[in-house]
Amino acid sequence: MKTLAKKLWIFMILVILLVTFGGCVSNYTGRGMISGGETVIFTSTDDLDKTLIEATLPDGERFQGKVVEHMEETTAYSTGVQDIYAKDPKVGSYTTRQHKRTGKSEAVLFGNKGHSMRCNFSGSSFGAISDGTIGRCEISDGRIIDVQFEESVQ
Protein backbone atom coordinates (compact mmCIF):
# COMPACT_ATOMS: atom_id res chain seq x y z
CA MET A 1 0.00 0.00 0.00
CA LYS A 2 2.85 2.39 0.81
CA THR A 3 4.45 1.89 -2.62
CA LEU A 4 1.16 2.69 -4.36
CA ALA A 5 0.78 5.89 -2.33
CA LYS A 6 4.40 6.81 -3.05
CA LYS A 7 3.91 6.23 -6.81
CA LEU A 8 0.71 8.29 -6.76
CA TRP A 9 2.51 11.11 -4.93
CA ILE A 10 5.37 11.12 -7.49
CA PHE A 11 2.85 11.07 -10.35
CA MET A 12 1.00 14.09 -8.88
CA ILE A 13 4.26 16.03 -8.54
CA LEU A 14 5.18 15.27 -12.15
CA VAL A 15 1.75 16.40 -13.37
CA ILE A 16 2.04 19.65 -11.39
CA LEU A 17 5.52 20.32 -12.83
CA LEU A 18 4.34 19.57 -16.35
CA VAL A 19 1.33 21.88 -16.03
CA THR A 20 3.42 24.61 -14.41
CA PHE A 21 6.36 24.58 -16.81
CA GLY A 22 4.87 22.95 -19.90
CA GLY A 23 3.24 26.17 -21.11
CA CYS A 24 6.39 28.28 -20.86
CA VAL A 25 7.48 27.75 -24.46
CA SER A 26 5.82 29.66 -27.29
CA ASN A 27 6.26 28.67 -30.93
CA TYR A 28 5.43 30.86 -33.90
CA THR A 29 5.64 30.17 -37.62
CA GLY A 30 6.38 32.89 -40.11
CA ARG A 31 5.68 32.83 -43.80
CA GLY A 32 7.87 35.12 -45.82
CA MET A 33 8.15 36.14 -49.42
CA ILE A 34 11.61 36.66 -50.87
CA SER A 35 12.32 38.99 -53.79
CA GLY A 36 11.16 37.02 -56.81
CA GLY A 37 8.06 35.55 -55.14
CA GLU A 38 9.50 32.45 -53.47
CA THR A 39 8.30 31.36 -50.01
CA VAL A 40 10.58 31.39 -46.96
CA ILE A 41 9.57 29.59 -43.76
CA PHE A 42 10.50 31.04 -40.37
CA THR A 43 10.11 29.35 -36.98
CA SER A 44 10.47 31.10 -33.66
CA THR A 45 10.75 29.54 -30.20
CA ASP A 46 10.45 31.66 -27.06
CA ASP A 47 11.33 29.96 -23.76
CA LEU A 48 11.07 33.02 -21.44
CA ASP A 49 14.78 33.84 -21.26
CA LYS A 50 15.52 33.94 -25.00
CA THR A 51 13.86 33.83 -28.40
CA LEU A 52 15.50 31.75 -31.11
CA ILE A 53 14.60 32.05 -34.77
CA GLU A 54 15.28 29.92 -37.81
CA ALA A 55 14.62 30.58 -41.49
CA THR A 56 14.87 28.21 -44.44
CA LEU A 57 15.27 29.54 -47.98
CA PRO A 58 13.93 27.74 -51.07
CA ASP A 59 17.51 26.74 -52.02
CA GLY A 60 17.85 24.91 -48.68
CA GLU A 61 20.07 27.42 -46.85
CA ARG A 62 19.15 27.48 -43.15
CA PHE A 63 19.66 30.55 -40.99
CA GLN A 64 19.66 30.54 -37.18
CA GLY A 65 19.95 33.30 -34.61
CA LYS A 66 18.66 34.99 -31.50
CA VAL A 67 16.02 37.72 -31.37
CA VAL A 68 16.67 40.74 -29.16
CA GLU A 69 13.63 42.64 -27.89
CA HIS A 70 13.78 46.44 -27.64
CA MET A 71 12.74 47.77 -24.23
CA GLU A 72 11.94 51.33 -23.23
CA GLU A 73 13.11 52.51 -19.83
CA THR A 74 10.92 54.95 -17.95
CA THR A 75 11.92 56.82 -14.84
CA ALA A 76 9.53 58.12 -12.20
CA TYR A 77 10.48 60.53 -9.44
CA SER A 78 8.40 60.41 -6.29
CA THR A 79 8.28 61.83 -2.81
CA GLY A 80 6.90 59.95 0.18
CA VAL A 81 7.41 56.53 1.71
CA GLN A 82 9.04 54.09 -0.71
CA ASP A 83 8.10 50.81 0.97
CA ILE A 84 5.91 50.98 4.05
CA TYR A 85 6.34 47.24 4.65
CA ALA A 86 10.15 47.31 4.67
CA LYS A 87 12.03 46.94 7.96
CA ASP A 88 13.53 50.40 7.43
CA PRO A 89 11.21 52.26 5.00
CA LYS A 90 12.71 55.15 3.04
CA VAL A 91 11.04 58.50 3.45
CA GLY A 92 11.77 61.32 1.04
CA SER A 93 12.45 61.46 -2.70
CA TYR A 94 13.29 58.36 -4.69
CA THR A 95 13.54 57.18 -8.28
CA THR A 96 11.79 54.19 -9.82
CA ARG A 97 12.86 52.68 -13.15
CA GLN A 98 10.63 50.41 -15.18
CA HIS A 99 11.12 48.62 -18.49
CA LYS A 100 8.28 48.59 -20.98
CA ARG A 101 7.93 46.55 -24.15
CA THR A 102 8.09 48.57 -27.36
CA GLY A 103 6.73 45.83 -29.64
CA LYS A 104 9.96 45.98 -31.68
CA SER A 105 12.82 43.52 -31.93
CA GLU A 106 15.71 42.59 -34.19
CA ALA A 107 17.80 39.55 -35.03
CA VAL A 108 21.00 38.57 -36.77
CA LEU A 109 20.93 35.08 -38.25
CA PHE A 110 23.81 33.09 -39.70
CA GLY A 111 23.34 30.71 -42.61
CA ASN A 112 24.91 27.33 -43.25
CA LYS A 113 26.14 28.46 -46.72
CA GLY A 114 28.08 31.55 -45.66
CA HIS A 115 25.38 34.26 -45.72
CA SER A 116 23.98 36.28 -42.85
CA MET A 117 20.54 37.84 -42.41
CA ARG A 118 19.50 40.93 -40.44
CA CYS A 119 15.83 41.24 -39.43
CA ASN A 120 13.68 43.95 -37.86
CA PHE A 121 10.31 42.98 -36.37
CA SER A 122 7.39 45.00 -35.03
CA GLY A 123 3.85 44.53 -33.78
CA SER A 124 4.61 42.01 -31.04
CA SER A 125 2.12 42.22 -28.20
CA PHE A 126 4.06 39.83 -25.97
CA GLY A 127 7.74 38.94 -26.14
CA ALA A 128 10.12 39.40 -29.03
CA ILE A 129 7.82 37.65 -31.55
CA SER A 130 4.14 36.84 -31.18
CA ASP A 131 1.03 36.21 -33.25
CA GLY A 132 0.74 38.97 -35.86
CA THR A 133 4.36 40.16 -35.68
CA ILE A 134 5.58 41.44 -39.04
CA GLY A 135 9.12 41.97 -40.19
CA ARG A 136 11.60 42.62 -42.92
CA CYS A 137 14.85 40.73 -43.31
CA GLU A 138 17.81 41.44 -45.56
CA ILE A 139 20.23 38.73 -46.59
CA SER A 140 23.89 39.69 -46.97
CA ASP A 141 23.61 39.25 -50.76
CA GLY A 142 20.93 41.97 -50.92
CA ARG A 143 17.76 39.88 -51.13
CA ILE A 144 14.81 41.13 -49.04
CA ILE A 145 12.22 38.99 -47.23
CA ASP A 146 8.93 40.30 -45.82
CA VAL A 147 7.53 37.99 -43.13
CA GLN A 148 4.45 37.67 -40.90
CA PHE A 149 4.16 35.33 -37.90
CA GLU A 150 1.27 33.38 -36.46
CA GLU A 151 1.06 31.09 -33.46
CA SER A 152 1.97 27.48 -34.22
CA VAL A 153 -0.64 24.91 -33.29
CA GLN A 154 1.03 21.94 -31.64
Side-chain angles (χ1 to χ4, degrees), residues 114-129:
H115 294 102
S116 63
M117 183 186 302
R118 178 173 291 278
C119 301
N120 291 298
F121 303 108
S122 62
S124 176
S125 57
F126 177 76
I129 292 181

Side-chain angles (χ1 to χ4, degrees), residues 8-22:
L8 185 59
W9 178 250
I10 291 171
F11 176 75
M12 288 174 37
I13 289 173
L14 289 174
V15 168
I16 290 170
L17 288 173
L18 182 63
V19 169
T20 302
F21 297 109

Side-chain angles (χ1 to χ4, degrees), residues 82-127:
Q82 185 174 9
D83 185 358
I84 61 172
Y85 300 108
K87 187 174 183 179
D88 185 24
K90 290 183 179 179
V91 178
S93 298
Y94 59 92
T95 303
T96 304
R97 288 192 173 90
Q98 295 179 333
H99 291 90
K100 184 177 103 176
R101 288 192 153 91
T102 63
K104 296 181 180 183
S105 57
E106 62 184 294
V108 174
L109 292 77
F110 298 98
N112 62 350
K113 294 183 180 179
H115 294 102
S116 63
M117 183 186 302
R118 178 173 291 278
C119 301
N120 291 298
F121 303 108
S122 62
S124 176
S125 57
F126 177 76

Side-chain angles (χ1 to χ4, degrees), residues 26-150:
S26 299
N27 294 307
Y28 298 94
T29 301
R31 189 178 265 315
M33 191 72 67
I34 197 166
S35 328
E38 295 180 289
T39 301
V40 179
I41 301 299
F42 286 79
T43 56
S44 167
T45 304
D46 185 350
D47 67 0
L48 293 183
D49 69 335
K50 66 184 174 295
T51 300
L52 302 176
I53 189 167
E54 188 174 295
T56 305
L57 299 183
D59 67 3
E61 185 168 10
R62 276 187 45 208
F63 291 83
Q64 294 178 318
K66 182 179 172 184
V67 181
V68 178
E69 185 177 6
H70 293 266
M71 302 294 271
E72 183 178 278
E73 186 176 282
T74 58
T75 305
Y77 301 97
S78 302
T79 304
V81 179
Q82 185 174 9
D83 185 358
I84 61 172
Y85 300 108
K87 187 174 183 179
D88 185 24
K90 290 183 179 179
V91 178
S93 298
Y94 59 92
T95 303
T96 304
R97 288 192 173 90
Q98 295 179 333
H99 291 90
K100 184 177 103 176
R101 288 192 153 91
T102 63
K104 296 181 180 183
S105 57
E106 62 184 294
V108 174
L109 292 77
F110 298 98
N112 62 350
K113 294 183 180 179
H115 294 102
S116 63
M117 183 186 302
R118 178 173 291 278
C119 301
N120 291 298
F121 303 108
S122 62
S124 176
S125 57
F126 177 76
I129 292 181
S130 63
D131 193 28
T133 296
I134 59 171
R136 176 164 274 208
C137 300
E138 184 173 355
I139 302 172
S140 56
D141 64 8
R143 292 179 289 172
I144 302 291
I145 304 168
D146 290 314
V147 61
Q148 182 171 354
F149 287 86
E150 60 185 31

